[in-house]
């Protein structure tokens, strides 16, 4: 059965992927006709993955465009609301053997794809829930879940290919069906690395008051209390409970008009508030952007009021779970990085609040780093803008260099760490982590480029740095003789680039051992049997290079 009732309450659709075989046969034939039977070099692999992505997206969109019954999209909306509540109550754990945490993450993501595609559809009403409808909708949801999974697979491979040389592979099995995989030791190593993330996520610092601060800002800047909006949404749904509650669309104007009536907030302010939460055919992203730009807030996760056209009339659909989810995500995953709806940022008071949060969030990471440094009794300086020396000062907080978050002297390994702290947004998938990669490597004024310039200056001015600490700690005998200057990044949560980076990147959970001089990288030994030869690969940092292989006879008595 594709429909599961979980915890005696929540409805979850677990796809049986009955359509997979048909799509794989067809696409495999097309790929072999267009690109040959392989094996492919990395350039062709990239072309094959992009071609496949286009195929999956076109099939996904076609199903949505062909399905015009509003009741289908209402069913998907109901599934999504169930998924939000279920994962809110059972965070960080598998729901059952079949309904795992990773399944729920992907499932919710694909349901959002479907709901957002609905904004482009000229829907029709009037269809009733019948056995025929349930069979049809089950088949379509099952197929969309498979296609959505493959869209995510392809964009993940594209993201990985941009960060790791020669990682993706496309081959054909004994039935001439395509297989997407990773080359070399990458499959194993990436899975093992992902398992290490949980410790780092648990140790990361969070803004404990983010939700409350956002609620306060909505009240003080717009005159709109969060709780009142919740009551308004519940009241509207209650008026429609005999027809379907939150599954029934209403005129968008109901939201600002009723808010104006309830608390007297001006209609202009109420409209700008709700416009910031509205997703329609004009501001939604296309499916490719939706899959490849998860950081963009023009998406259902941040704009929970969906505008669907039914029988030539626009209706607003708003699930209570989606409303709560959006506000939580704004407080924790958007506003600290300066992101908020343009309509909200037009309010100067709210804009000031957003910028204040953006300025604060690096300090959330810097404070525990300083605490650890003090506990270890190390010489250090924080937020360094000027280097003091015997003849005066040198201002480094200038174009080309910039403020240094920390300079830390570690005496055991005789290192001076030039530290930049980066409070990264928590990333759980490769597409998001590619954004971190670009910030470190590719973007204009990349993190690496900036740290590179700082390293050049400090290596050329070690006597000034030595004098800086002599003056700061009133210790004329302090010496940096035989010390190495090393630039590093400290991040709040793990990111994939840290396992192959130019400058070492450490999560907060590793700072204690690093500054104590006892940190060691993990490593892997991979043993495989190839053509009666035992191949041993020793994988150390950086983990993503083709390994040096040593071979021995499988029947040898040597270890």
């Amino acid at each position: 059965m594709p429909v599961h009732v979980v915890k005696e309450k929540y409805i979850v659709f677990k796809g049986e992927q009955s359509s997979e075989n048909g799509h794989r046969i067809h696409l495999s034939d097309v790929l072999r006709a267009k690109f040959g039977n392989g094996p492919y070099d990395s350039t062709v692999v990239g072309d094959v993955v992009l071609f496949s992505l286009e195929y999956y997206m076109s099939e996904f969109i076609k199903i949505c465009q062909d399905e015009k019954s509003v009741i289908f999209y209402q069913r998907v909306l109901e599934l999504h609301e169930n998924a939000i509540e279920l994962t809110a109550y059972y965070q960080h754990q598998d729901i059952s053997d079949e309904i795992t945490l990773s399944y729920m993450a992907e499932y919710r993501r694909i349901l959002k794809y479907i709901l957002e595609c609905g904004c482009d559809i000229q829907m029709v009403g009037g269809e009733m829930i019948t056995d025929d409808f349930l069979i049809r909708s089950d088949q379509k949801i099952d197929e969309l879940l498979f296609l959505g999974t493959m869209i995510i697979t392809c964009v993940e491979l594209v993201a990985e290919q941009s960060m790791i040389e020669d990682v993706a592979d496309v081959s054909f099995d004994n039935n001439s069906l395509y297989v997407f995989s990773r080359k070399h030791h990458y499959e194993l190593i990436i899975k093992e690395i992902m398992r290490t993330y949980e410790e780092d996520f648990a140790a990361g610092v969070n803004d404990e008051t983010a939700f409350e601060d956002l609620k306060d800002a909505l009240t003080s800047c717009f005159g709109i209390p969060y709780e009142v909006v919740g009551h308004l949404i519940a009241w509207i749904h209650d008026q429609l409970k005999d027809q379907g509650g939150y599954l029934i669309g209403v005129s968008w104007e109901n939201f600002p008009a009723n808010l104006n009536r309830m608390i007297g907030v001006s209609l202009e302010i109420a409209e700008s508030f709700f416009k910031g939460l509205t997703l329609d055919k004009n501001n939604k992203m296309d499916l490719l952007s939706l899959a490849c730009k998860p950081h963009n807030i023009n998406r259902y996760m941040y704009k929970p009021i969906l505008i669907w056209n039914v029988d030539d009339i626009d209706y607003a659909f708003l699930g209570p779970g989606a409303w709560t989810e959006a506000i939580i995500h704004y407080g924790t995953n958007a506003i600290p990085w300066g992101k908020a709806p343009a309509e909200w940022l037009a309010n100067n008071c709210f804009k000031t609040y957003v910028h204040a949060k953006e300025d604060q969030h690096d300090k959330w990471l810097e404070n525990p780093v300083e605490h650890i440094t003090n506990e270890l009794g190390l010489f250090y300086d924080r937020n360094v803008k000027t280097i003091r020396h015997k003849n005066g000062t040198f201002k480094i907080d200038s174009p080309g260099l910039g403020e240094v978050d920390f300079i830390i002297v570690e005496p055991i390994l005789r290192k001076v760490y030039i530290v930049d702290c980066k409070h990264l947004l928590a990333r759980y998938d490769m597409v998001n982590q590619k954004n971190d990669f670009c910030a470190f490597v590719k973007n204009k004024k990349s993190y690496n480029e900036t740290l590179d310039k700082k390293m050049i200056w400090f290596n050329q001015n070690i006597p000034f740095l030595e004098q800086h600490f002599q003056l700061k700690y009133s210790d004329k005998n302090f010496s940096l003789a035989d010390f190495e200057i090393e630039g590093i990044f400290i991040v709040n949560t793990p990111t994939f680039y840290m396992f192959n980076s130019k400058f070492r990147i450490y999560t907060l959970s590793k700072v204690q051992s690093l500054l104590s001089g006892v940190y060691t990288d993990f490593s892997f030994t991979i043993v495989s049997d190839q053509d009666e030869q035992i191949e041993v690969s020793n994988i150390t940092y950086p983990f993503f290079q083709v390994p040096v292989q040593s071979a021995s006879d499988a029947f040898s008595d040597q270890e």
Side-chain angles (χ1 to χ4, degrees), residues 263-277:
I263 60 174
V265 65
S266 76
L267 199 57
E268 181 183 3
I269 289 177
E271 286 177 347
S272 68
F273 173 75
F274 282 112
K275 281 179 182 177
L277 295 168

Side-chain angles (χ1 to χ4, degrees), residues 58-235:
S58 66
E59 293 294 305
F60 191 101
I61 292 168
K62 182 176 183 297
I63 291 171
C64 291
Q65 289 177 338
D66 289 346
E67 180 53 74
K68 300 188 184 303
S69 179
V70 67
I71 199 172
F72 173 82
Y73 295 95
Q74 288 171 317
R75 188 183 183 201
V76 176
L77 178 60
E78 183 179 26
L79 290 172
H80 185 262
E81 283 291 311
N82 274 257
I84 290 175
E85 188 173 338
L86 178 61
T87 51
Y89 280 114
Y90 298 94
Q91 296 182 38
H92 312 303
Q93 59 179 295
D94 291 341
I95 312 302
S96 67
D97 290 341
E98 287 193 82
I99 311 299
T100 63
L101 189 64
S102 60
Y103 175 77
M104 288 302 295
E106 187 173 274
Y107 171 70
R108 290 171 62 191
R109 190 171 169 185
I110 298 168
L111 293 180
K112 284 181 169 71
Y113 289 173
I114 301 170
L115 295 172
E116 295 189 42
C117 283
C119 295
D120 291 323
I121 309 302
Q122 292 290 116
M123 299 182 191
V124 294
E127 183 174 10
M128 306 298 291
I129 297 177
T130 62
D131 289 342
D132 287 344
F133 165 75
L134 291 173
I135 291 171
R136 184 182 91 240
S137 63
D138 278 2
Q139 290 173 342
K140 290 197 172 185
I141 293 171
D142 182 71
E143 188 168 7
L144 287 167
L145 287 174
F146 164 71
L147 292 169
T149 296
M150 295 312 301
I151 290 170
I152 292 170
T153 297
C154 286
V155 296
E156 293 270 296
L157 284 172
V158 171
E160 289 178 14
Q161 193 84 336
S162 70
M163 294 187 287
I164 309 170
E165 185 177 353
D166 196 32
V167 59
D169 196 18
V170 180
S171 58
F172 296 93
D173 63 16
N174 292 334
N175 295 316
S176 298
L177 299 178
Y178 67 80
V179 177
F180 293 141
S181 61
R182 298 181 178 112
K183 293 181 180 179
H184 316 304
H185 58 280
Y186 297 151
E187 188 77 36
L188 173 66
I189 301 300
I190 289 174
K191 286 181 179 178
E192 289 299 317
I193 282 173
M194 293 302 179
R195 289 196 185 104
T196 70
Y197 274 20
E198 286 308 313
E199 176 191 350
D200 289 322
F201 280 127
V205 291
N206 299 297
D207 181 7
E208 301 295 339
T209 64
F211 188 44
E212 294 301 319
D213 290 346
L214 176 54
K215 287 164 55 175
D216 290 344
L218 293 176
T219 301
S220 61
C221 296
F222 293 97
I224 300 176
Y226 166 81
E227 289 78 10
V228 170
V229 179
H231 293 323
L232 168 61
I233 294 168
W235 178 80

Side-chain angles (χ1 to χ4, degrees), residues 381 384 387-389 407-409 416-418 457-459 461-471 478 480 485:
D381 205 356
V384 183
I387 297 296
R388 298 166 59 197
H389 54 85
I407 303 173
I408 302 174
V409 181
V416 178
Y417 291 116
I418 308 300
W457 189 90
F458 279 103
N459 274 304
N461 293 277
I462 292 175
F464 284 168
L465 184 58
E466 183 176 84
Q467 292 170 33
H468 179 82
F469 280 102
Q470 288 174 351
L471 294 169
F478 175 82
L480 291 179
I485 309 293

Side-chain angles (χ1 to χ4, degrees), residues 372 376 410 413 509-520:
I372 293 169
L376 294 173
E410 197 282 282
L413 299 180
S509 66
K510 306 298 189 294
V511 171
Q512 180 87 31
S513 60
L514 174 71
L515 298 183
S516 300
V518 297
Y519 175 81
T520 57

